[in-house]
Amino acid sequence: MQRIVSKKLAEQIVFALLLLIGIGLRFFMLNKSLSGDEFFLIDIIRSINMKQAFRVVLSDVHPPLFFISEYAIMKFLHEKEFYLRLLPCIWGVCTIFVGFIILKLIYQNCEKCLHWLMGFSIIVFSQPLIAFAQEARPYSQLYLLSILLLLLSVIKFYYNRNYYWVALLISIAAVLTHYFGILYVLSWA
């Protein structure tokens, strides 16, 4: 019994350390100088009202969800690099939690924690996911929406529960975030 308790405690400590490292990696260097694509976001934020911001987004052929949500949030925050990248960073941190939930659902009955720990480490240390979380671009939000759809697929497969309406809403949000979101709609069709 003592060995099982200590094994669970060790598993929780490793999870907490990986979680803190993952959050730290996503928040690290958020206030670096902006890149070329991120300057487009400044044009949207400096719009006079939501209608003008929406017009700027559509004139550059981008789906509007990410940019309009950034516009709405930045009306309450200062125009600094850190705050411009805060929303994608939050999406990146949420991705870590959703990935953990997926791995725990899949390996729930597994005696060894090595499988989900390796999968969780891949999510935590994934260079593209870290980079997406540090850019004021829609990729982090798109990845979060895609991993939420994966979570719904895991729930459907392992628990035989269908959440088609939730999947439809997430798919629509993915399409409104990035044009690659259409692939998620097709995958659920």
Side-chain angles (χ1 to χ4, degrees):
M1 182 70 176
Q2 182 68 18
R3 182 175 168 93
I4 293 172
V5 171
S6 65
K7 186 177 179 181
K8 283 288 189 190
L9 181 63
E11 184 179 321
Q12 290 172 352
I13 290 171
V14 169
F15 163 71
L17 286 174
L18 282 173
L19 181 64
L20 290 174
I21 290 170
I23 292 171
L25 287 172
R26 277 141 182 89
F27 276 96
F28 181 66
M29 303 259 311
L30 277 187
N31 54 354
K32 62 185 176 192
S33 62
L34 296 174
S35 67
D37 282 347
E38 292 174 312
F39 285 112
F40 175 68
L41 189 57
I42 301 252
D43 292 338
I44 295 167
I45 291 168
R46 290 182 178 164
S47 299
I48 297 169
N49 56 28
M50 184 71 83
K51 185 176 179 181
Q52 183 184 5
F54 200 72
R55 193 177 311 123
V56 170
V57 171
L58 293 181
S59 70
D60 201 40
V61 200
H62 287 295
L65 184 61
F66 171 76
F67 297 102
I68 297 302
S69 59
E70 278 278 352
Y71 171 81
I73 288 175
M74 290 306 294
K75 288 300 172 188
F76 300 106
L77 301 172
H78 298 289
E79 190 179 305
K80 294 187 178 185
E81 290 90 352
F82 179 83
Y83 295 125
L84 284 172
R85 294 184 176 122
L86 185 60
L87 189 60
C89 188
I90 291 170
W91 298 143
V93 170
C94 291
T95 297
I96 294 173
F97 285 106
V98 175
F100 171 73
I101 292 169
I102 290 171
L103 291 168
K104 280 305 251 186
L105 288 174
I106 292 173
Y107 296 111
Q108 186 174 17
N109 296 328
C110 188
E111 291 294 320
K112 298 177 183 175
C113 69
L114 185 62
H115 302 308
W116 74 264
L117 201 56
M118 287 177 57
F120 190 62
S121 298
I122 290 171
I123 293 170
V124 166
F125 295 112
S126 172
Q127 181 58 38
L129 295 181
I130 294 169
F132 292 161
Q134 293 177 343
E135 289 183 356
R137 304 292 297 148
Y139 307 122
S140 184
Q141 182 176 351
L142 179 68
Y143 190 78
L144 174 63
L145 294 169
S146 68
I147 202 167
L148 283 170
L149 285 172
L150 179 62
L151 174 63
L152 293 176
S153 297
V154 167
I155 290 171
K156 179 181 175 186
F157 181 77
Y158 284 98
Y159 298 99
N160 203 19
R161 295 184 191 148
N162 291 324
Y163 295 102
Y164 289 117
W165 288 106
V166 176
L168 177 65
L169 292 174
I170 293 172
S171 298
I172 290 170
V175 170
L176 291 174
T177 298
H178 196 278
Y179 289 123
F180 284 155
I182 194 72
L183 298 174
Y184 306 125
V185 174
L186 295 176
S187 70
W188 272 86

